[in-house]
Amino acid sequence: MRFLDRYVVRASWWSLKKIYRVLILVSIGVFFIGIIAFSLYMRSLPSLSTWHTTLLENEFTTKSKVDSISEYMALEKKLFKALENKIYNKTLPSEQNRVNRYTNESISNPSLWKPNWNKSFELHVDKPKGAVLLLHGMSDSPYSLHTQAEYLHKNGFLVLGLRMPGHGTIPSGLRNMQWQDMAAVVELGMKHLADKLGTKPIHIMGYSTGAPLALNYTLKALKAKSTLRVPDSLVFYSPAIGVSAAAPFAVWQSRVGYVLGLPKLEWNSLLPEYDPFKYGSFAVNAGDQVYRLAKKVQKQFDSLEKHPSKKPFPTVLSFSSIVDSTVSVPAVIDNLFNRLPKAVKKKHTLVLFDINHNFDRNNIVKASVSENLQHLRNTPIKENYTFELISNISTNDRSVKRIVNHTEVHTLPYEWSKGLYSLSHLALPISPNDPLYGNNNAPKSPGIQLGHLAIYGETGVLQISSASLLRQRWNPFHGYIKGRVLAFLEN
């Protein structure tokens, strides 16, 4: 009480007013400094281009009056007509250059590729042994799985590759698209294949965001009253099962931008559009939709655990790089494989591609990264799936071995390419012979080639960032994956 009497009760009012005034002045100063900093930040961002601000008509949503894949492709045809009229025919002279995909004469113009793999496609077989539905990733296009489409078709499978809503056209398509729009297209695709093939097997192959889309469909189809066709198996590349913990907060950046009339805040990145089949710019909403979809899948797994399905869960075969800056690899283990019900015919399989240990031995890999990778290599063995590590950890050269459940070792006729220290999120489904993303021995591209552009010089000169040039885009073990997938689907 003496303390309160002396220092609080008896405190002079003039000193309290003085402190109050100081706090007000400091708050005003911080406010104006924040405004100045925010203004400088906004000015530092690249300018928005036509393909960031234009919204195309005839894009599919859950409200579209489309009931079949043929109707979806007809609507898609109108969408690409709008793309031609509103973008290619109206690109400003200041926006045109030889590596801009939205310039007619550009080496990045998708029309140089025959066919244009930005669009949905179907590869027919007279007497198919089965069918495969291909689902690409966020900001991506059907091109990412076109190699799989071609070799599966060659081996007797009917293949349907779908362009997801918001993709394959202009980056602004990512601003308003919803994961439910993509999920609705997956249902159309499976219905189409089920009607064509009857009781023959139907598989879903998903890359990145295509994986949770496949899981969302499968878990919905497994419900007791569902009439949806359950796929016979699932194949995943770099599955986007878990994303950054900051993802649920990022959407507020976009919302603030919308309310304040600052459209630049609707974007995580604004980059040159030099890739014919993948957006350089990435809308905040796109990341938010991946987060919401992944969260939805976890809720579906929760429901399945409480109410097990009488229908068998399809067997899963999944491939990931042990290092992936786009999605969480631990989440693939914890939120997917550790939650999968036992498959009926054969075990689920998770295949991880290790880093090249020639670099690890030279002590140039970050200590924190090495520690995390060691934890992944020691993934506990579960009864419901097989864990495989493709690694040169036990060799003295670049040749790799297949290590099954930490003990069983098989020699493989593959090795790391010289100078390559790891795979990446982008590389898993891409062949070294891919004309766009492949190595320097790949067939000549009809336009730009992005797979081996590790060139040297001064910073700040090129339109394409050095980080983009150095990120691995093709998989030296693609032949191994191709063989595993074919054997998996045929048995």
Side-chain angles (χ1 to χ4, degrees):
M1 291 298 295
R2 289 181 178 180
F3 176 84
L4 292 174
D5 289 342
R6 180 175 299 178
Y7 295 104
V8 179
V9 177
R10 294 182 180 181
S12 59
W13 282 108
W14 71 266
S15 60
L16 292 175
K17 289 182 178 179
K18 189 174 182 179
I19 293 172
Y20 181 67
R21 289 172 181 171
V22 170
L23 290 175
I24 291 176
L25 290 174
V26 169
S27 299
I28 293 173
V30 170
F31 176 74
F32 279 105
I33 290 173
I35 289 178
I36 293 171
F38 181 73
S39 177
L40 292 174
Y41 168 73
M42 292 301 296
R43 289 186 179 184
S44 70
L45 295 176
S47 299
L48 294 175
S49 298
T50 308
W51 42 89
H52 297 119
T53 58
T54 303
L55 293 178
L56 298 177
E57 299 173 354
N58 300 310
E59 181 59 278
F60 175 87
T61 72
T62 53
K63 296 180 181 179
S64 299
K65 295 180 180 180
V66 171
D67 298 315
S68 67
I69 282 299
S70 59
E71 290 178 359
Y72 178 75
M73 289 186 175
L75 183 65
E76 185 179 78
K77 188 175 182 180
K78 294 179 181 178
L79 173 70
F80 276 82
K81 187 65 177 177
L83 173 68
E84 186 74 22
N85 294 333
K86 288 192 173 184
I87 301 299
Y88 283 93
N89 294 342
K90 293 185 179 180
T91 301
L92 298 175
S94 59
E95 297 174 331
Q96 297 182 15
N97 62 66
R98 286 283 291 164
V99 293
N100 173 14
R101 67 182 281 185
Y102 301 114
T103 300
N104 281 312
E105 296 77 21
S106 169
I107 59 173
S108 297
N109 189 330
S111 65
L112 294 176
W113 278 258
K114 307 297 181 185
N116 180 348
W117 293 103
N118 279 313
K119 303 176 182 179
S120 301
F121 62 88
E122 185 172 11
L123 304 181
H124 300 275
V125 178
D126 289 337
K127 296 180 180 179
K129 62 178 68 173
V132 185
L133 179 66
L134 305 184
L135 308 176
H136 64 76
M138 186 64 74
S139 83
D140 214 342
S141 73
Y143 186 90
S144 61
L145 293 174
H146 85 281
T147 299
Q148 284 73 9
E150 291 173 333
Y151 73 69
L152 290 171
H153 179 248
K154 184 178 179 181
N155 282 274
F157 288 92
L158 185 155
V159 181
L160 177 61
L162 294 178
R163 180 198 65 88
M164 292 293 106
H167 294 75
T169 55
I170 51 178
S172 65
L174 301 180
R175 287 168 46 199
N176 299 317
M177 54 77 61
Q178 305 291 306
W179 71 263
Q180 291 89 343
D181 301 330
M182 298 190 290
V185 176
V186 175
E187 291 191 21
L188 289 176
M190 283 297 290
K191 182 180 183 300
H192 175 78
L193 294 177
D195 290 343
K196 274 198 165 186
L197 271 77
T199 59
K200 289 185 178 180
I202 301 174
H203 316 275
I204 303 181
M205 179 179 288
Y207 166 51
S208 191
T209 305
L213 283 171
L215 287 168
N216 170 73
Y217 172 86
T218 300
L219 289 162
K220 185 176 179 180
L222 286 170
K223 289 185 176 181
K225 295 182 179 180
S226 175
T227 58
L228 299 176
R229 169 73 180 269
V230 178
D232 290 81
S233 68
L234 302 172
V235 179
F236 298 149
Y237 298 86
S238 304
I241 304 303
V243 293
S244 170
F249 305 102
V251 69
W252 286 100
Q253 172 186 321
S254 179
R255 291 171 179 170
V256 169
Y258 179 79
V259 171
L260 298 180
L262 299 171
K264 288 184 181 181
L265 290 180
E266 295 183 58
W267 299 88
N268 274 333
S269 60
L270 291 166
L271 299 175
E273 300 297 334
Y274 56 84
D275 190 320
F277 303 111
K278 184 177 180 62
Y279 299 145
S281 303
F282 195 81
V284 172
N285 177 64
D288 182 57
Q289 294 306 313
V290 178
Y291 167 76
R292 291 174 184 271
L293 174 59
K295 188 176 180 180
K296 171 66 175 179
V297 168
Q298 293 307 303
K299 289 182 178 179
Q300 289 173 302
F301 271 124
D302 292 340
S303 177
L304 184 64
E305 289 176 356
K306 293 178 182 178
H307 309 285
S309 175
K310 294 182 180 180
K311 306 173 187 177
F313 198 99
T315 310
V316 176
L317 171 62
S318 182
F319 304 93
S320 290
S321 169
I322 202 168
V323 287
D324 191 320
S325 64
T326 303
V327 301
S328 169
V329 179
V332 175
I333 298 169
D334 297 334
N335 298 344
L336 176 55
F337 278 86
N338 287 348
R339 305 204 69 180
L340 288 174
K342 287 185 179 180
V344 176
K345 295 182 180 179
K346 47 192 173 183
K347 280 189 175 183
H348 307 296
T349 304
L350 169 61
V351 181
L352 281 188
F353 289 88
D354 204 355
I355 64 171
N356 181 351
H357 285 274
N358 288 343
F359 290 87
D360 195 23
R361 297 185 188 102
N362 291 333
N363 299 312
I364 62 175
V365 177
K366 293 178 181 179
S368 59
V369 172
S370 292
E371 183 178 345
N372 291 335
L373 298 189
Q374 188 58 42
H375 180 73
L376 287 172
R377 292 186 196 105
N378 294 329
T379 296
I381 306 303
K382 300 287 185 178
E383 291 185 358
N384 64 320
Y385 73 93
T386 300
F387 174 72
E388 299 186 9
L389 184 70
I390 309 300
S391 176
N392 66 340
I393 193 170
S394 59
T395 66
N396 295 317
D397 53 26
R398 300 198 305 271
S399 60
V400 297
K401 295 182 179 182
R402 172 178 165 236
I403 306 171
V404 182
N405 290 340
H406 305 311
T407 56
E408 187 180 333
V409 180
H410 304 267
T411 300
L412 295 176
Y414 294 93
E415 64 177 24
W416 282 101
S417 300
K418 188 175 182 180
L420 185 58
Y421 63 85
S422 81
L423 298 184
S424 72
H425 181 81
L426 303 176
L428 264 292
I430 306 300
S431 167
N433 294 321
D434 189 274
L436 176 59
Y437 300 128
N439 63 23
N440 53 7
N441 294 319
K444 182 176 175 57
S445 167
I448 195 170
Q449 209 288 338
L450 298 171
H452 54 89
L453 285 180
I455 50 184
Y456 303 93
E458 187 54 274
T459 59
V461 176
L462 304 180
Q463 295 186 56
I464 305 174
S465 70
S466 57
S468 296
L469 291 175
L470 293 174
R471 195 176 187 190
Q472 182 62 15
R473 294 177 182 270
W474 50 271
N475 186 352
F477 312 113
H478 185 266
Y480 170 73
I481 290 181
K482 181 168 67 173
R484 285 296 300 274
V485 169
L486 284 174
F488 177 73
L489 297 183
E490 291 178 341
N491 294 327

